[in-house]
PDB file of all heavy atoms in Angstrom:
ATOM      1  N   LEU J 107      35.819  -1.398  29.026  1.00  0.00           N
ATOM      2  CA  LEU J 107      35.012  -1.831  27.840  1.00  0.00           C
ATOM      3  C   LEU J 107      33.552  -2.096  28.245  1.00  0.00           C
ATOM      4  O   LEU J 107      32.627  -1.661  27.563  1.00  0.00           O
ATOM      5  CB  LEU J 107      35.618  -3.125  27.267  1.00  0.00           C
ATOM      6  CG  LEU J 107      36.764  -2.932  26.270  1.00  0.00           C
ATOM      7  CD1 LEU J 107      37.314  -4.288  25.853  1.00  0.00           C
ATOM      8  CD2 LEU J 107      36.297  -2.155  25.049  1.00  0.00           C
ATOM      9  N   ALA J 108      33.403  -2.816  29.357  1.00  0.00           N
ATOM     10  CA  ALA J 108      32.038  -3.144  29.783  1.00  0.00           C
ATOM     11  C   ALA J 108      31.250  -1.871  30.101  1.00  0.00           C
ATOM     12  O   ALA J 108      30.087  -1.763  29.714  1.00  0.00           O
ATOM     13  CB  ALA J 108      32.114  -4.045  31.031  1.00  0.00           C
ATOM     14  N   ALA J 109      31.900  -0.958  30.769  1.00  0.00           N
ATOM     15  CA  ALA J 109      31.204   0.282  31.148  1.00  0.00           C
ATOM     16  C   ALA J 109      30.834   1.080  29.905  1.00  0.00           C
ATOM     17  O   ALA J 109      29.725   1.611  29.793  1.00  0.00           O
ATOM     18  CB  ALA J 109      32.089   1.118  32.074  1.00  0.00           C
ATOM     19  N   SER J 110      31.749   1.113  28.960  1.00  0.00           N
ATOM     20  CA  SER J 110      31.467   1.937  27.744  1.00  0.00           C
ATOM     21  C   SER J 110      30.317   1.349  26.947  1.00  0.00           C
ATOM     22  O   SER J 110      29.540   2.066  26.331  1.00  0.00           O
ATOM     23  CB  SER J 110      32.713   2.086  26.887  1.00  0.00           C
ATOM     24  OG  SER J 110      33.067   0.829  26.356  1.00  0.00           O
ATOM     25  N   ALA J 111      30.208   0.038  26.972  1.00  0.00           N
ATOM     26  CA  ALA J 111      29.123  -0.622  26.233  1.00  0.00           C
ATOM     27  C   ALA J 111      27.775  -0.161  26.779  1.00  0.00           C
ATOM     28  O   ALA J 111      26.803  -0.026  26.054  1.00  0.00           O
ATOM     29  CB  ALA J 111      29.250  -2.137  26.313  1.00  0.00           C
ATOM     30  N   VAL J 112      27.779   0.076  28.106  1.00  0.00           N
ATOM     31  CA  VAL J 112      26.516   0.447  28.754  1.00  0.00           C
ATOM     32  C   VAL J 112      26.287   1.959  28.655  1.00  0.00           C
ATOM     33  O   VAL J 112      25.198   2.419  28.350  1.00  0.00           O
ATOM     34  CB  VAL J 112      26.512  -0.009  30.220  1.00  0.00           C
ATOM     35  CG1 VAL J 112      25.266   0.484  30.952  1.00  0.00           C
ATOM     36  CG2 VAL J 112      26.612  -1.525  30.296  1.00  0.00           C
ATOM     37  N   LEU J 113      27.363   2.704  28.909  1.00  0.00           N
ATOM     38  CA  LEU J 113      27.198   4.159  29.075  1.00  0.00           C
ATOM     39  C   LEU J 113      27.307   4.976  27.809  1.00  0.00           C
ATOM     40  O   LEU J 113      26.719   6.038  27.675  1.00  0.00           O
ATOM     41  CB  LEU J 113      28.245   4.666  30.107  1.00  0.00           C
ATOM     42  CG  LEU J 113      28.113   4.028  31.517  1.00  0.00           C
ATOM     43  CD1 LEU J 113      29.292   4.467  32.381  1.00  0.00           C
ATOM     44  CD2 LEU J 113      26.795   4.453  32.172  1.00  0.00           C
ATOM     45  N   LEU J 114      28.139   4.515  26.880  1.00  0.00           N
ATOM     46  CA  LEU J 114      28.384   5.341  25.702  1.00  0.00           C
ATOM     47  C   LEU J 114      27.523   4.875  24.534  1.00  0.00           C
ATOM     48  O   LEU J 114      27.180   3.716  24.446  1.00  0.00           O
ATOM     49  CB  LEU J 114      29.864   5.227  25.297  1.00  0.00           C
ATOM     50  CG  LEU J 114      30.868   5.693  26.350  1.00  0.00           C
ATOM     51  CD1 LEU J 114      32.291   5.397  25.891  1.00  0.00           C
ATOM     52  CD2 LEU J 114      30.696   7.187  26.626  1.00  0.00           C
ATOM     53  N   PRO J 115      27.220   5.796  23.658  1.00  0.00           N
ATOM     54  CA  PRO J 115      26.496   5.405  22.435  1.00  0.00           C
ATOM     55  C   PRO J 115      27.406   4.548  21.558  1.00  0.00           C
ATOM     56  O   PRO J 115      28.351   5.074  20.979  1.00  0.00           O
ATOM     57  CB  PRO J 115      26.127   6.730  21.786  1.00  0.00           C
ATOM     58  CG  PRO J 115      27.025   7.734  22.391  1.00  0.00           C
ATOM     59  CD  PRO J 115      27.510   7.241  23.705  1.00  0.00           C
ATOM     60  N   TRP J 116      27.202   3.272  21.594  1.00  0.00           N
ATOM     61  CA  TRP J 116      28.050   2.324  20.850  1.00  0.00           C
ATOM     62  C   TRP J 116      27.833   2.553  19.343  1.00  0.00           C
ATOM     63  O   TRP J 116      26.702   2.789  18.924  1.00  0.00           O
ATOM     64  CB  TRP J 116      27.656   0.918  21.234  1.00  0.00           C
ATOM     65  CG  TRP J 116      28.745  -0.077  20.996  1.00  0.00           C
ATOM     66  CD1 TRP J 116      28.724  -1.113  20.120  1.00  0.00           C
ATOM     67  CD2 TRP J 116      29.992  -0.173  21.658  1.00  0.00           C
ATOM     68  NE1 TRP J 116      29.859  -1.810  20.184  1.00  0.00           N
ATOM     69  CE2 TRP J 116      30.686  -1.258  21.129  1.00  0.00           C
ATOM     70  CE3 TRP J 116      30.628   0.622  22.668  1.00  0.00           C
ATOM     71  CZ2 TRP J 116      31.954  -1.624  21.532  1.00  0.00           C
ATOM     72  CZ3 TRP J 116      31.884   0.223  23.065  1.00  0.00           C
ATOM     73  CH2 TRP J 116      32.541  -0.851  22.513  1.00  0.00           C
ATOM     74  N   PRO J 117      28.886   2.505  18.552  1.00  0.00           N
ATOM     75  CA  PRO J 117      28.677   2.723  17.103  1.00  0.00           C
ATOM     76  C   PRO J 117      27.651   1.778  16.568  1.00  0.00           C
ATOM     77  O   PRO J 117      27.714   0.585  16.808  1.00  0.00           O
ATOM     78  CB  PRO J 117      30.084   2.430  16.533  1.00  0.00           C
ATOM     79  CG  PRO J 117      31.020   2.622  17.661  1.00  0.00           C
ATOM     80  CD  PRO J 117      30.260   2.228  18.894  1.00  0.00           C
ATOM     81  N   ASP J 118      26.698   2.328  15.869  1.00  0.00           N
ATOM     82  CA  ASP J 118      25.618   1.505  15.338  1.00  0.00           C
ATOM     83  C   ASP J 118      25.966   1.050  13.947  1.00  0.00           C
ATOM     84  O   ASP J 118      26.423   1.855  13.133  1.00  0.00           O
ATOM     85  CB  ASP J 118      24.333   2.367  15.301  1.00  0.00           C
ATOM     86  CG  ASP J 118      23.099   1.523  15.164  1.00  0.00           C
ATOM     87  OD1 ASP J 118      23.156   0.530  14.396  1.00  0.00           O
ATOM     88  OD2 ASP J 118      22.101   1.834  15.784  1.00  0.00           O
ATOM     89  N   ALA J 119      25.764  -0.229  13.682  1.00  0.00           N
ATOM     90  CA  ALA J 119      26.090  -0.741  12.353  1.00  0.00           C
ATOM     91  C   ALA J 119      25.149  -0.159  11.296  1.00  0.00           C
ATOM     92  O   ALA J 119      25.434  -0.165  10.105  1.00  0.00           O
ATOM     93  CB  ALA J 119      25.980  -2.260  12.362  1.00  0.00           C
ATOM     94  N   ARG J 120      23.997   0.314  11.744  1.00  0.00           N
ATOM     95  CA  ARG J 120      23.004   0.778  10.787  1.00  0.00           C
ATOM     96  C   ARG J 120      23.138   2.266  10.558  1.00  0.00           C
ATOM     97  O   ARG J 120      23.473   3.022  11.467  1.00  0.00           O
ATOM     98  CB  ARG J 120      21.614   0.444  11.311  1.00  0.00           C
ATOM     99  CG  ARG J 120      21.465  -1.020  11.578  1.00  0.00           C
ATOM    100  CD  ARG J 120      20.129  -1.304  12.173  1.00  0.00           C
ATOM    101  NE  ARG J 120      19.097  -0.749  11.313  1.00  0.00           N
ATOM    102  CZ  ARG J 120      17.823  -0.911  11.561  1.00  0.00           C
ATOM    103  NH1 ARG J 120      17.409  -1.553  12.577  1.00  0.00           N
ATOM    104  NH2 ARG J 120      16.906  -0.377  10.755  1.00  0.00           N
ATOM    105  N   ALA J 121      22.846   2.647   9.350  1.00  0.00           N
ATOM    106  CA  ALA J 121      22.963   4.076   9.017  1.00  0.00           C
ATOM    107  C   ALA J 121      21.836   4.857   9.675  1.00  0.00           C
ATOM    108  O   ALA J 121      20.791   4.300  10.028  1.00  0.00           O
ATOM    109  CB  ALA J 121      22.879   4.260   7.495  1.00  0.00           C
ATOM    110  N   ASP J 122      22.081   6.128   9.850  1.00  0.00           N
ATOM    111  CA  ASP J 122      21.110   7.004  10.455  1.00  0.00           C
ATOM    112  C   ASP J 122      19.743   6.936   9.792  1.00  0.00           C
ATOM    113  O   ASP J 122      18.709   6.844  10.431  1.00  0.00           O
ATOM    114  CB  ASP J 122      21.658   8.448  10.396  1.00  0.00           C
ATOM    115  CG  ASP J 122      20.931   9.357  11.377  1.00  0.00           C
ATOM    116  OD1 ASP J 122      20.632   8.900  12.483  1.00  0.00           O
ATOM    117  OD2 ASP J 122      20.666  10.516  10.992  1.00  0.00           O
ATOM    118  N   SER J 123      19.767   6.945   8.449  1.00  0.00           N
ATOM    119  CA  SER J 123      18.495   6.945   7.735  1.00  0.00           C
ATOM    120  C   SER J 123      17.701   5.669   7.970  1.00  0.00           C
ATOM    121  O   SER J 123      16.488   5.675   7.962  1.00  0.00           O
ATOM    122  CB  SER J 123      18.755   7.121   6.228  1.00  0.00           C
ATOM    123  OG  SER J 123      19.432   6.000   5.741  1.00  0.00           O
ATOM    124  N   ASP J 124      18.420   4.562   8.210  1.00  0.00           N
ATOM    125  CA  ASP J 124      17.726   3.300   8.463  1.00  0.00           C
ATOM    126  C   ASP J 124      16.975   3.339   9.789  1.00  0.00           C
ATOM    127  O   ASP J 124      15.863   2.831   9.928  1.00  0.00           O
ATOM    128  CB  ASP J 124      18.712   2.137   8.483  1.00  0.00           C
ATOM    129  CG  ASP J 124      19.284   1.862   7.100  1.00  0.00           C
ATOM    130  OD1 ASP J 124      18.692   2.399   6.144  1.00  0.00           O
ATOM    131  OD2 ASP J 124      20.272   1.148   7.007  1.00  0.00           O
ATOM    132  N   ARG J 125      17.664   3.927  10.784  1.00  0.00           N
ATOM    133  CA  ARG J 125      16.990   3.956  12.091  1.00  0.00           C
ATOM    134  C   ARG J 125      15.747   4.852  11.988  1.00  0.00           C
ATOM    135  O   ARG J 125      14.712   4.548  12.528  1.00  0.00           O
ATOM    136  CB  ARG J 125      17.942   4.458  13.170  1.00  0.00           C
ATOM    137  CG  ARG J 125      18.650   3.304  13.842  1.00  0.00           C
ATOM    138  CD  ARG J 125      19.545   3.747  14.956  1.00  0.00           C
ATOM    139  NE  ARG J 125      20.768   4.305  14.447  1.00  0.00           N
ATOM    140  CZ  ARG J 125      21.127   5.573  14.594  1.00  0.00           C
ATOM    141  NH1 ARG J 125      20.344   6.414  15.243  1.00  0.00           N
ATOM    142  NH2 ARG J 125      22.262   6.011  14.123  1.00  0.00           N
ATOM    143  N   ARG J 126      15.875   5.939  11.239  1.00  0.00           N
ATOM    144  CA  ARG J 126      14.710   6.799  11.047  1.00  0.00           C
ATOM    145  C   ARG J 126      13.605   6.047  10.321  1.00  0.00           C
ATOM    146  O   ARG J 126      12.461   6.117  10.691  1.00  0.00           O
ATOM    147  CB  ARG J 126      15.104   8.042  10.262  1.00  0.00           C
ATOM    148  CG  ARG J 126      15.912   9.023  11.060  1.00  0.00           C
ATOM    149  CD  ARG J 126      16.478  10.071  10.156  1.00  0.00           C
ATOM    150  NE  ARG J 126      17.016  11.191  10.934  1.00  0.00           N
ATOM    151  CZ  ARG J 126      17.571  12.247  10.380  1.00  0.00           C
ATOM    152  NH1 ARG J 126      17.700  12.331   9.079  1.00  0.00           N
ATOM    153  NH2 ARG J 126      18.042  13.212  11.120  1.00  0.00           N
TER     154      ARG J 126
END
Side-chain angles (χ1 to χ4, degrees):
Chain J
L107 276 176
S110 66
V112 175
L113 299 173
L114 300 174
W116 203 246
D118 197 321
R120 303 176 54 176
D122 196 39
S123 66
D124 290 346
R125 268 183 283 115
R126 286 169 167 180

